[in-house]
Amino acid sequence: IYSFQDLIPPFLKNIFKKEVARINRQALMSDWQRDTDRDAEVMVDICLMFRRGVLLDCGSYDENFKLYFAEDDLCNRIIKRGHKIRFLSNVSNIHLRHKSVNQLDREELLTIYRQDAYVYAKKYFGITRAIIIRFFMVLTRKFARIIKR
């Protein structure tokens, strides 16, 4: 599950540790054991299933997202159109986690993540906030490189 707090650069997360911890608990629904059905804001796309009518009403994946935030975008549109995202506790699947992304270089993945984060922020929070987020992501990356030396 991803949310806006995933766009916060690491050094800001360190400054606001308590607030980030609260947001994480809320976003990850850590008080819930996943043993009951429940409405959700976003589901990971490896386990999303929709009626055809929902996708016809809301549209499919936005092709501006290369890898990240596509399910967040789709789920946002589904909820905005009045449909629900529902976690079903009696359904399971097997997913080989990170099988595709492990084929890519870490730097390539980070570049895709930053691009997709910018697209998501611009779409949902406006160009000004997206530029601010991009600025902090670049600043954080440069800061991390300095620390590694």
Side-chain angles (χ1 to χ4, degrees):
I1 298 173
Y2 296 100
S3 66
F4 180 69
Q5 66 93 20
D6 291 310
L7 304 178
I8 301 170
F11 79 91
L12 286 180
K13 287 181 182 179
N14 287 331
I15 294 170
F16 300 104
K17 279 184 180 178
K18 287 183 182 178
E19 184 61 20
V20 169
R22 184 191 62 75
I23 291 170
N24 280 334
R25 280 192 306 278
Q26 181 180 353
L28 297 174
M29 298 184 278
S30 58
D31 61 326
W32 173 47
Q33 300 301 312
R34 278 47 171 194
D35 56 354
T36 58
D37 294 0
R38 184 172 179 169
D39 288 343
E41 293 179 14
V42 176
M43 295 297 292
V44 179
D45 61 1
I46 61 158
C47 51
L48 287 174
M49 293 187 341
F50 302 102
R51 290 190 174 103
R52 185 173 187 262
V54 171
L55 287 181
L56 289 174
D57 183 37
C58 303
S60 189
Y61 289 100
D62 182 337
E63 293 183 15
N64 291 310
F65 296 102
K66 293 179 178 85
L67 184 60
Y68 298 98
F69 301 99
E71 64 267 275
D72 299 75
D73 172 58
L74 180 59
C75 289
N76 282 334
R77 287 185 280 124
I78 288 169
I79 290 171
K80 191 179 273 188
R81 297 286 297 178
H83 303 285
K84 288 186 177 184
I85 307 295
R86 188 92 178 144
F87 177 88
L88 302 175
S89 60
N90 63 340
V91 176
S92 64
N93 68 359
I94 297 172
H95 175 69
L96 302 175
R97 190 173 183 175
H98 302 295
K99 194 74 167 173
S100 299
V101 296
N102 283 341
Q103 297 173 21
L104 298 174
D105 176 76
R106 178 172 162 70
E107 284 301 315
E108 189 176 3
L109 280 173
L110 287 171
T111 298
I112 293 170
Y113 178 83
R114 287 191 292 271
Q115 290 169 348
D116 284 353
Y118 176 76
V119 169
Y120 184 84
K122 183 178 171 187
K123 187 171 186 174
Y124 287 97
F125 306 109
I127 188 72
T128 304
R129 289 182 182 161
I131 290 170
I132 292 168
I133 288 168
R134 178 181 267 175
F135 169 77
F136 279 114
M137 290 178 102
V138 169
L139 184 66
T140 300
R141 188 74 189 131
K142 289 182 187 239
F143 186 66
R145 285 183 183 152
I146 291 169
I147 290 174
K148 284 183 180 179
R149 291 181 189 167

